[in-house]
Every structure is written in structure tokens, then in C-alpha cells.
Amino acid sequence: MSSMLSSALRNLPVSSAWAAGALARSLSCSSQFQAAAQPKTKKTLGKTGVKNVVVVEGVRIPFLQSGTSYADLMPHDLARAALQGLLTRTSVPRDVVDYIVYGTVIQEVKTSNVAREAALGAGFSDKTPAHTVTMACISSNQAMTTGVGMIAAGQCDVVVAGGVELMSDVPIRHSRKMRKTMLTLNRAKTLGQKLSLISKIRPDYFAPELPAVAEFSTSETMGHSADRLAAAFGISRLEQDEYALRSHTLAKKAQDEGLLQDVVPFKVPGKDTVTKDNGIRPSSMEQMGKLKPAFVKPYGTVTAANSSFLTDGASAMLIMSEEKALAMGYKPKAYLRDFVYVSQDPKDQLLLGPTYATPKVLEKAGLTLSDIDVFEFHEAFAGQILANLKAMDSDWFAQNYMGRKSKVGAPPLDKFNTWGGSLSLGHPFGATGCRLVITAAHRLKKEGGQYGLVAACAAGGQGHAMIVELYPQ
């Protein structure tokens, strides 16, 4: 597929001038939104006989580069802090919450159901059920939509959904040979049996199994796949660096202007209170250009500067039926409307989830691309984002790979991730989805729009998209 895409798509119109122009448009557009515009008048997406599900509030503790202030904690510590931040901001009584569901990717063995441990730590009743779900980078998206489904089905009125990831401390296992020996040794009854087993241990047994951000089915790292994807779509190193610089520049502007309202402070035990994301670092094209390829060496185009970094963080979102929210005196932020999940080839199309999910969710909601006022797409790599934009804007790709007659079109950059994205804000795998949704809600209110589209790719060649509708102001 790579060679076919290379020959067919290499000349699609993405250039360094396009990226630079998009940055300028985004920055000027951001300043224009300081005074909230009047919302556009459009139809609501509510459906007869279907419960309206609303977001009351969403928060996250600051997303930090792994190995920094959260390094000595455990995942449930971060999730607990996010839950407590949500409780503080909303004052929702703990006993009103019917269910808690969290997403995570790299699970801590001691707290495999991190949702339950975090809930107990945050003071929720031991009678409140909680479970943990994993779906790679769309794990908290799955947590949210699980809550939506439970409310729509009438099983719950109030659900807390969220996600957590602690990349500072991931499980490192003994080799399989050593694990089998140790388990057998634990069952040995006599000293002779134990000594016999110990005598069979060889030096190679002590080699640890290190985790890797790689696909099990292909044994390829996600970064390597992103590099091949960028090459297939003719995305240059310059274009990727320019897009990454755009992300960091917009994130810094949003942070400085207080637009990242979902961030709640976290007093780290034994350390200072963390109040903001620490991965936002606008650089220069010259400095970024000095970095060597990180995956495909020496000719690759994906580097540390144009990739999302390993991140620690957690998020939490209060989701209710509209009736319950209003009865409790809350003013919801947004409706959670139609959503879809997609899957495609995990080798050559690993990171194209948004391309496949976007047209499906638009069609399901009865909308077109031009109806969407804000776009929040997960930025795993700059090359991944740009490849998705090219694929979405290609009739050839739509016809040959998606079974469509024509392209869906690419989102306009002046509506796209204008408060930064995962490249700059950080990407705790299991927590990013909630950030995307609450950011879309905040942008709709700030910018005067009605519909937001959230989309993300995930390992395993999967993806997710959801329509967020601003609650009437």
C-alpha cells in the first residue's frame, strides 16, 4: 500500500507555505475570539425518544512529561486527583454518582481496575460500581461513550468517566523463562525440589522484558508506522516541523490567556502544587531542524520535536441525563451526540482513524463538514495529522480505500486544534479523549459555534469520532 499511496498522493497540495499560512490564520483567528460571538442558529441533534446526555463538567490534572513531578506516584494517585478536582469544581454529592468508568492503556499490575481504586481513594462509596476499559489512545473516549450508553439505556442518570496514564513507571517483567521458574518454585514443597529448580536458572533468564509502544500484530512501533505514513502521503520533514510549531505556539497562547479551563491544580505529595502543563515549549524551525530522525534512520522525517511525548496525566468528566442535570441545578456545557468507532488495517493504515471515522459520524448525525464549527483531533504525530488531512481531501483515497464516491474534505485550519493539541499539551494515552471533548465544548462557547467534531486514532488501527453540541446558552 505504501508504494501505491506514494505514487498516487505525493502531489496532493500540502506545502510549507500552506502550513505557515495556516499558523498565521489560526493565531489571528484566536485573538478574534476573545469576545465570544453569538452562537449560530442551527437545528439541534436531539432525537425523539432518545435521552439527551450532557457534559456537566470536565477536568484534568496538568499533563506532565514523564519522569517529572508525577514520577514517584501510581496511576490511581493521578486518577484520584482528577476525581477530587471534579468533585471540588462541581460540588456533586458522591452518592449521586451511579457509576464510574476509566480508560487506561499501560495497566499497573497492583491496581488493574484503576477506576475502582481511584474512586475509593477519592471518597466515593464502596457501593458505587467502577470498571476500567482499554482501547489504546481512545480509552477515555470508550469510557465516555460507555457512560453515554448506560444513561441512554436508562441504567444510570449520573456517570463519571475519565482516563489515566503514568508513563513514568511502566511494568517491566522478568523473562517468561524466569516467570515460569519462579511460579513453579513457589509451588515446590521440599528443599530438594526448590534447589533442583534453582539449579536450572541460566544467565539469560535474568534479561527483563521491556515494554515498547509497538503493535503486537506487526511488531512495528507507532513512530515507525507514522514515518511510513508520512512518506506514503508525501509529507515532508519541513511540513511536520511547521505543524508541530503551530501546535506548541497555539497551546502557549491558550495557556497564557487562561483558555485551558479544564486544568485543575494538583498538590503532589512531598512536592509543590502543579498548576499547568509542562510540555508546551515553542521552539524555532532552526532548532527543530537539528534533531535526528527518531525511528526510521537515517532518512526518516519523524523526530522527537514533531511527535507527542510520553506523558503522565489523568482526566475526569461528569456526564448526566439532561433531566437529572437540570433537576440538580446544573447548567450543562454540551450535549454528547452521535459517535462511531472504526477499525482498519493495523499495518499501513494504523493512524488513519480520523479519516474513516469523520465521514461516518457526519453522515450519522446528518451533518456536513461545513456544519462543524470546531475540530479537535488527537495529534499523535504531526505527520499523522497531515496524512489524515490529505487522505480526507483525496477523491482517490476515498474511492480506492473507503468505498466512497468522493472525498469528505479536510477541516479548515482556522477551526482546527486552535488551542493546541497532543503534540504540545501532552498525550497520556488513556486520558486524552476527555480533554478533546471538554476542549471542544469550551471552544464552542468561546467562539460562538454549535457543533464540534472530536476524532482520534488509536493503536491497533482503530479510531473514534463524536459530535459535541453546545448546550443552549
Side-chain angles (χ1 to χ4, degrees), residues 26 124-125 153 159 171 192 245 256 395 398 439 453:
S26 297
F124 284 90
S125 167
V159 174
L245 180 58
D256 290 346
D395 285 320
T439 299
L453 195 155

Side-chain angles (χ1 to χ4, degrees), residues 8 14 130 146 196 281 377 404 420:
V14 172
T146 296
S196 176
R281 297 179 180 179
F377 278 33
R404 299 176 57 84

Side-chain angles (χ1 to χ4, degrees), residues 299-318:
Y299 303 115
T301 56
V302 175
T303 70
N306 56 42
S307 307
S308 59
F309 48 88
L310 296 179
T311 314
D312 302 333
S315 56
M317 182 173 289
L318 182 59

Side-chain angles (χ1 to χ4, degrees), residues 22-40 246 250 253-254 257-259 261 372-376 412-420 439-451:
L23 171 60
R25 291 193 301 273
S26 297
L27 289 172
S28 63
C29 186
S30 177
S31 62
Q32 293 170 8
F33 290 144
Q34 295 311 300
Q38 291 298 315
K40 302 173 185 177
R246 171 190 188 269
L250 292 174
K253 182 177 176 62
E257 294 178 356
L259 300 180
Q261 303 166 38
I372 304 301
D373 301 297
V374 304
F375 295 86
E376 283 293 324
L413 264 289
D414 59 358
K415 297 181 180 180
F416 191 86
N417 291 12
T418 57
W419 292 0
T439 299
H442 286 161
R443 282 185 57 202
L444 286 171
K445 182 177 180 180
K446 184 73 174 177
E447 300 171 9
Q450 184 168 343
Y451 301 135

